Amino acid sequence: MSSLRIVVIGGGAAGFFGAITAAETFPDATITILEKSRTVLNKVRISGGGRCNVTHACFDNKKLVRYYPRGEKPLRTLLNQFDATATVRWFDEHGVTLKTEADGRMFPSTNTSETIVTCLMATARRLGIQIRTSCGVSTLTHTTTDKGQSQWQLTLLTDEVIQADRLLIATGGYPQAASYTWMPSQTEPLISPVPSLFTFNVPESYLLPLAGVSVSDAGVSIQGTKQEQRGPLLLTHWGFSGPAVLRLSAWAARELAAMDYRFTLRINWTPTLNENQLRNMLQEFRQQNGRKQVASQNPFGLPNRLWQLFVSESGMTDSQRWADLPAKPLNRLVERLTNSQFQVVGKTTFKDEFVTCGGISIDSLNPQTLESKAHPGLFFAGEVLDIDGITGGFNFQNAWTTGYVAGRHIGQ
Ligand SMILES: Cc1cc2nc3c(=O)[nH]c(=O)nc-3n(C[C@H](O)[C@H](O)[C@H](O)COP(=O)(O)OP(=O)(O)OC[C@H]3O[C@@H](n4cnc5c(N)ncnc54)[C@H](O)[C@@H]3O)c2cc1C
C-alpha cells in the first residue's frame, strides 16, 4: 500500500512544526513542505531583532491565553496538547537551550535566530521531510475518491500539479497569504484580516521634539471606545510607540481599522492617581516647595524634558514659582497630566514586526485537531488562523502549538 501523502503549504514556523510533528507521529507518511519563497523560515530568521523570541516564560496556561487578543478560547484547549513548557522541553530535546529575559521573553541562549532555523532544518531533514522552495501554490482542488476519501490536487505557480491525501495550510498572515484567494472557494469562513501590532502617527504632536524619551507607566485609551491599556510609553519622531501602544493596537485592531487609523488618543501620564489625588499631591508639593520653580521640580518622576514641556504648554514661564502658581495654569497642568489628547493620523509598523488579526475562523475547525469540519483531511496552523498575540513570544507560541496539534492528528 502506498504511504500517506501529507503536504504542508508554507515553510514558516507553523509549517515546519506541523511537518516535524507529523513525521515523528506518522513515520510511514511521505511529507513535503511547499514554500513560495526561495528560502524557508524567513520570519523566524528576522524575528526578535535577529534573536527570535521563541516563547514567553508563562507556564500557567490560564494566564498565557490572556496575551492573545484573538484566540483565547481555542488556545485554552489547544495549549493542553502543547504549551510553553512543552516548547522549552522540545527545543531542549532538540539541542537548543532557551534563556529567559527579565520581562519573561525567551530567546535561544546563543542570542541568534539562526540557532532556531538550524534546529528546525536539521530536524526536518533527519526525519526525511522534503523541503521544496520556490513552490507557491496557486490553486487547490478537492476531490473525493470512490472510497469516500478526501484528496487534494495542488497546482503550483510553475504549473506543476501535486496530489495530496492530507493537507496542512500554514501560509501565515495577510498579506503573505495573498489575501487567501488561492484557497478553494468556500473552503472555510474567513474573518477579514487587518493588521495588529503597530505604532501611532501623530504628525501634529508638540511632543515630537522629545523623540526617544520614554515613560515607565502611562495609561493610553481611544476616545469613544472602551479600549485602554497601561505600560511603558515611548515618544518617537512620528508619534507614540512602546508596549502600551502596541498592546492597544492589538486589542483594538479591528476598531482602529474601522476608524481608518484616525482617532483621538488619550494619555494619562500619572495613571496611578485619579484627578483628586493628583490635585492633593500637587497642593502638598506646592506647600513644601513654594519658593522653587515649577519647571525644575517634578513631583511625578516624569522625564525632566517632558515635565518642562508640560509646564510651558500649560502657560507657565520657566521662572514660575510653585507658591505663585495661578489656578488656570495649574488646572491646565492637571488636565495635561491626566487627559492629554492627540490626533492620531495613521500607523507605522513596529520594527517591521506585525501580525494579522483575523484569518481562518476556528469555529469552522475541530478545536482538538484543527481539521476542517467541512473538508476532512484539511488542517490549518499558525498565523493563517484567527489567533494572534501581543509581542513577547506569543505569536511563535501559537505557531508551535497549532503546528503541533495539526501535525499530531493529520495522519489519523
Ligand atoms: C519582523 C517580525 C518579527 C517578529 N518577531 C517575533 C518574535 O520575536 N516572536 C514572536 O512570537 N513573533 C514574532 N513575529 C510574529 C511571527 O513571526 C509570526 O506570527 C510567525 O512567524 C507566524 O508563523 P507562520 O508559520 O504561521 O507564518 P509565516 O512565518 O508567515 O510563514 C508562512 C509561509 O508560507 C509561505 N506561503 C504563503 N503563501 C504560500 C503559498 N500560496 N504557497 C506556498 N507557500 C506560501 C510564506 O512565504 C511563508 O514562508 C514577528 C513578525 C515579524 C514580521
Side-chain angles (χ1 to χ4, degrees):
M1 209 180 110
S2 60
S3 64
L4 191 73
R5 295 164 301 181
I6 297 175
V7 171
V8 176
I9 309 179
F16 263 75
F17 220 68
I20 288 170
T21 308
E24 285 172 341
T25 316
F26 310 103
D28 294 334
T30 307
I31 302 171
T32 308
I33 295 175
L34 299 176
E35 167 55 48
K36 185 173 64 173
S37 318
R38 276 186 289 180
T39 48
V40 290
L41 297 167
N42 295 320
K43 273 209 212 162
V44 173
R45 200 168 273 112
I46 57 166
S47 65
R51 295 199 299 146
C52 188
N53 181 189
V54 177
T55 185
H56 202 92
C58 179
F59 304 114
D60 176 344
N61 292 344
K62 284 195 191 107
K63 287 189 182 147
L64 184 63
V65 294
R66 291 191 210 133
Y67 293 97
Y68 292 86
R70 270 84 30 197
E72 177 178 343
K73 193 166 154 234
L75 277 173
R76 270 189 240 147
T77 308
L78 296 164
L79 286 166
N80 289 335
Q81 295 184 57
F82 199 90
D83 57 11
T85 306
T87 301
V88 176
R89 192 185 315 122
W90 191 94
F91 278 102
D92 189 49
E93 286 168 0
H94 290 77
V96 177
T97 312
L98 301 181
K99 60 163 185 174
T100 309
E101 304 223 319
D103 58 5
R105 292 180 302 157
M106 298 192 78
F107 295 87
S109 56
T110 54
N111 254 339
T112 166
S113 57
E114 277 307 324
T115 302
I116 304 299
V117 173
T118 305
C119 168
L120 294 173
M121 286 295 282
T123 307
R125 288 208 177 107
R126 179 174 51 77
L127 292 165
I129 295 167
Q130 219 195 336
I131 301 166
R132 295 189 56 190
T133 53
S134 302
C135 284
V137 176
S138 59
T139 53
L140 292 180
T141 321
H142 177 250
T143 52
T144 310
T145 64
D146 299 344
K147 291 178 184 161
Q149 282 165 341
S150 270
Q151 283 212 327
W152 297 91
Q153 182 168 295
L154 295 74
T155 308
L156 306 188
L157 293 165
T158 54
D159 289 338
E160 186 187 347
V161 175
I162 292 175
Q163 308 288 340
D165 302 309
R166 305 287 158 83
L167 203 55
L168 170 57
I169 296 183
T171 45
Y174 180 83
Q176 282 91 337
S179 58
Y180 310 84
T181 48
W182 56 272
M183 289 188 199
S185 53
Q186 294 109 38
T187 307
E188 310 301 331
L190 183 69
I191 314 279
S192 73
V194 297
S196 176
L197 296 181
F198 46 84
T199 67
F200 299 157
N201 299 354
V202 187
E204 300 291 317
S205 168
Y206 66 94
L207 296 179
L208 294 183
L210 297 195
V213 166
S214 65
V215 172
S216 58
D217 186 18
V220 288
S221 59
I222 298 165
Q223 187 160 293
T225 75
K226 289 183 177 159
Q227 297 288 354
E228 56 182 0
Q229 290 292 325
R230 253 180 80 171
L233 181 70
L234 176 67
L235 277 55
T236 67
H237 61 83
W238 65 90
F240 297 105
S241 180
V245 163
L246 291 171
R247 266 180 238 148
L248 192 60
S249 80
W251 287 97
R254 209 159 275 295
E255 280 153 293
L256 293 180
M259 293 173 180
D260 197 23
Y261 309 102
R262 290 166 181 272
F263 58 95
T264 303
L265 175 72
R266 296 162 73 146
I267 302 180
N268 183 347
W269 303 92
T270 53
T272 52
L273 305 169
N274 65 30
E275 196 183 316
N276 270 346
Q277 290 169 321
L278 183 86
R279 280 186 186 282
N280 289 342
M281 197 167 155
L282 280 173
Q283 202 54 38
E284 217 171 284
F285 195 81
R286 185 183 197 172
Q287 278 159 12
Q288 289 164 4
N289 298 277
R291 292 163 63 82
K292 295 186 178 149
Q293 288 166 346
V294 179
S296 63
Q297 290 297 309
N298 169 3
F300 305 106
L302 290 169
N304 279 339
R305 286 171 64 206
L306 183 63
W307 173 255
Q308 282 155 11
L309 203 52
F310 284 166
V311 168
S312 65
E313 289 286 325
S314 302
M316 296 172 232
T317 60
D318 283 354
S319 58
Q320 175 72 59
R321 291 180 192 283
W322 279 102
D324 324 315
L325 183 55
K328 261 194 184 167
L330 179 69
N331 289 339
R332 282 199 289 259
L333 183 62
V334 170
E335 174 73 8
R336 204 165 285 276
L337 286 168
T338 55
N339 186 21
S340 284
Q341 299 195 6
F342 298 90
Q343 293 311 311
V344 176
V345 186
K347 58 179 171 47
T348 297
T349 309
F350 167 69
K351 293 185 191 164
D352 292 332
E353 184 172 341
F354 57 88
V355 291
T356 306
C357 151
I360 299 296
S361 165
I362 306 288
D363 291 344
S364 65
L365 311 178
N366 177 331
Q368 299 285 350
T369 63
L370 298 176
E371 184 175 20
S372 159
K373 289 176 187 165
H375 299 93
L378 175 64
F379 292 72
F380 292 88
E383 210 181 303
V384 72
L385 295 166
D386 182 27
I387 299 179
D388 62 278
I390 60 171
T391 56
F394 305 104
N395 287 299
F396 276 136
Q397 184 57 54
N398 172 46
W400 314 133
T401 297
T402 53
Y404 178 89
V405 169
R408 187 88 194 149
H409 299 278
I410 199 166
Q412 285 168 350

